[in-house]
Amino acid sequence: MNGRDITPAFTARVEAIMRQAAQTAIVPRFRALAENDVIAKAVDDVVTVADHESEAILTGLLTDLLPQATVVGEEAAFADPAIFERLRSGLCWIVDPLDGTNNFASGKAPFGVLVALADGGETIGGWILDALSGRFCYAHASGGAFVDGERITARPTAEEPPVAALSTVYMDPEEREQVLAHIAPHYRMVDIPRCAAEQYPRLVLGTNDVSIFNRTLPWDHAAGTLFLNEAGGRAARLDGSTYRVDEWETRGLIGAATPRLWDELAERMARL
């Protein structure tokens, strides 16, 4: 295994690791967290004991699976930002041990586990597990996208106007006002799930047509952008450039079920 040979057997091992983390650290604590199991991490953001335990499981087992790869876990990088530098070269696992933590801590779905494998800043494999339903989405570069083992092609909702889930949480007030005033009227707006492990599948499975993401940290978007692109949709920066995990400070990303829907939204965003 040289890191780029992402075979079905390799994906099966990644899936088993992710399911072990979910079933050991996450699901048993759903709606069973003690008060001291939840800690404020930032404004409108929390971390739980489940995040930390899941990350420890994933980090250990993924390292065993591919020892030549470093690991960038969300909680480890939050504690030590120098860990981000691992994204710049060589093979690197990118781990979101509990995506949708705010939902999880509030006792509601969705939430999941995200794992990606990058090489020199380029995502080459992505795996997305819904912790409650067990739905497993995955993709590898030039290898297609799959849901529960079945190859899938992204499909739009076919609604008019198209369905949009626009994440404005991390926008500054002026930018948020511009998006709501000049972008939102062209779409049927729906709530965001606050969970990338749910949002990217929605763009592939015919639930949503387009999404805007402002903050684009690698553990939230590495797996999902690859999954959407390999399914035939499009995920890219606002200028059309490819999403790279080593550009973690860059903001702005559009995801769409089809390239046409992406182009239409990008043109509107460019006029703001």
Side-chain angles (χ1 to χ4, degrees), residues 121-166:
E122 172 195 357
T123 309
I124 60 174
W127 300 270
I128 306 171
L129 175 67
D130 183 303
L132 283 182
S133 73
R135 182 189 63 203
F136 187 64
C137 306
Y138 60 94
H140 57 91
S142 302
F146 300 81
V147 177
D148 294 329
E150 298 294 327
R151 189 157 188 158
I152 193 163
T153 299
R155 58 182 184 269
T157 66
E159 292 190 27
E160 192 57 47
V163 179
L166 308 183

Side-chain angles (χ1 to χ4, degrees), residues 2 7 152 175 201:
N2 64 15
T7 63
I152 193 163
E175 185 178 10

Side-chain angles (χ1 to χ4, degrees), residues 218-236:
W219 42 77
D220 288 325
H221 297 281
T225 54
L226 180 66
F227 176 66
L228 179 55
N229 284 324
E230 286 294 327
R234 189 175 186 201

